[in-house]
Amino acid sequence: MLLLVARIRPGAPAHFSIRRSALPSPRGSSLFWQLTLSGVYHLLRLLDPLIRGWWQTAGLGITARLEVAGRRSGRPRSVLIGLLTVDGRWYVGHPNGNVDWTRNLAASGRGSIRPWHRDPVEVRAVRLPDGAERDAAILITAAQQPFPGNLMYRAARRHILAVGVYFRLEPIEQ
């Protein structure tokens, strides 16, 4: 959203400038959940080396490794994500809106997903617009996430429905 700002000082001509303003929060979003989810995902980034080691050794529920080209550098970037399944289709997403890996996935439109102890699968990523398919992917998250993530997703459901960014992953036939 653009905002026209006027600064007027007595005895001086008015000075106008245009500033980019943050969009108002989507309906249903929550500052509490925005901050809580940001904190949780920040902690997960700090623990990433330990989590990756555990994932490679023993797996972690629905956790898979997504590799996607960086939108600026083009270099491969990998992130551990929850791979959701609804009616045989794969979905991934972030509950708190756009983050680096969702921006990279949207920009490239494709990536490689590797569930634990399986070969990587090249996929096409389709960002889900608001609607029934996106809602189904979000709502199934609470059922498929392991504890304690399932409780957090269930409690933050309204916020996630308002701001979450989700993709359908379609395997590319080779």
Side-chain angles (χ1 to χ4, degrees), residues 44-137:
L44 290 174
R45 275 193 310 274
L46 292 174
L47 297 174
D48 187 72
L50 297 172
I51 294 170
R52 281 180 191 263
W54 185 272
W55 177 76
Q56 290 173 342
T57 304
L60 286 170
I62 64 171
T63 304
R65 186 181 59 128
L66 175 68
E67 190 169 286
V68 62
R71 64 191 177 284
R72 293 186 195 127
S73 68
R75 294 192 324 232
R77 305 288 184 193
S78 75
V79 62
L80 293 179
I81 48 98
L83 182 60
L84 308 166
T85 306
V86 179
D87 296 330
R89 291 182 170 175
W90 285 343
Y91 296 91
V92 296
H94 197 280
N96 216 19
N98 268 316
V99 293
D100 284 338
W101 75 262
T102 62
R103 289 182 190 102
N104 289 342
L105 190 58
S108 70
R110 61 188 311 135
S112 172
I113 190 82
R114 183 176 175 259
W116 183 64
H117 276 315
R118 291 184 46 198
D119 291 332
V121 177
E122 295 296 316
V123 292
R124 179 178 307 106
V126 178
R127 185 172 173 156
L128 300 177
D130 289 346
E133 184 178 17
R134 178 180 169 274
D135 291 352

Side-chain angles (χ1 to χ4, degrees), residues 21-34:
S21 171
L23 291 173
S25 297
R27 212 169 77 131
S29 70
S30 158
L31 181 60
F32 170 79
W33 282 113
Q34 181 182 355

Side-chain angles (χ1 to χ4, degrees), residues 62 84 136-157 160 166:
I62 64 171
L84 308 166
I138 291 170
L139 296 175
I140 201 68
T141 306
Q144 293 184 7
Q145 280 284 349
F147 177 83
N150 60 344
L151 299 178
M152 185 176 63
Y153 275 87
R154 192 169 289 123
R157 179 178 297 152
I160 298 168
Y166 283 75

Side-chain angles (χ1 to χ4, degrees), residues 33-46:
W33 282 113
Q34 181 182 355
L35 295 174
T36 300
L37 290 169
S38 291
V40 167
Y41 280 93
H42 180 72
L43 178 63
L44 290 174
R45 275 193 310 274
L46 292 174

